[in-house]
Amino acid sequence: MARILIVDDSPSQLMGIRRIVEKLGHEAVTAEDGAAGVEAAKRELPDLVLMDVVMPNLNGFQATRSICRGDTTKHIPVVLVTTKDQETDRVWGMRQGAKAYMTKPFDENELAEVIGQLLPG
């Protein structure tokens, strides 16, 4: 069982993703914006982060960059999960350190596949 941090400012998205993560047998930890997500990543040291992009305070690109460059968090893979579906967004997200980029809406199998590819073991 892995610990997965879900960062999204939409309560419905947070609950939907959490349900999928828990159905896959993992523990879900949540944060409501990018700044809280960075703090949760430092505090919880999750095995994986699922990060929305469009959020208040710190957006998902900024939060991903912070996690991927932080001394204690740089080993944690980040998946951007967003409605932003332009190629430039995808390229920019990957340049911030994301290991994968998924656009909403996605199906449960797609999320399960990405989680399976990025978790150790």
Side-chain angles (χ1 to χ4, degrees):
M1 179 176 81
R3 178 179 296 182
I4 298 176
L5 171 62
I6 305 162
V7 186
D8 201 311
D9 62 324
S10 162
S12 61
Q13 287 289 327
L14 211 53
M15 289 305 299
I17 296 171
R18 178 185 201 128
R19 184 185 56 76
I20 295 169
V21 164
E22 290 175 344
K23 185 176 172 184
L24 293 170
H26 303 298
E27 177 186 353
V29 180
T30 61
E32 290 79 32
D33 64 48
V38 171
E39 289 309 309
K42 291 177 184 174
R43 184 180 64 249
E44 302 285 342
L45 295 176
D47 299 296
L48 181 72
V49 178
L50 300 174
M51 178 79 68
D52 185 24
V53 172
V54 182
M55 295 183 289
N57 300 324
L58 204 60
N59 72 41
F61 292 140
Q62 295 165 319
T64 296
R65 184 171 54 240
S66 182
I67 290 168
C68 293
R69 295 183 182 167
D71 288 338
T72 59
T73 55
K74 62 185 170 192
H75 67 283
I76 303 168
V78 177
V79 178
L80 290 168
V81 184
T82 179
T83 56
K84 294 177 76 65
D85 65 352
Q86 299 297 308
E87 185 60 25
T88 52
D89 297 319
R90 184 180 299 274
V91 168
W92 185 245
M94 300 308 271
R95 288 176 98 177
Q96 304 315 302
K99 298 290 185 240
Y101 192 102
M102 294 179 59
T103 53
K104 297 175 186 173
F106 55 85
D107 70 38
E108 197 171 315
N109 293 333
E110 185 183 359
L111 183 61
E113 187 176 319
V114 170
I115 289 171
Q117 288 170 353
L118 292 173
L119 285 177

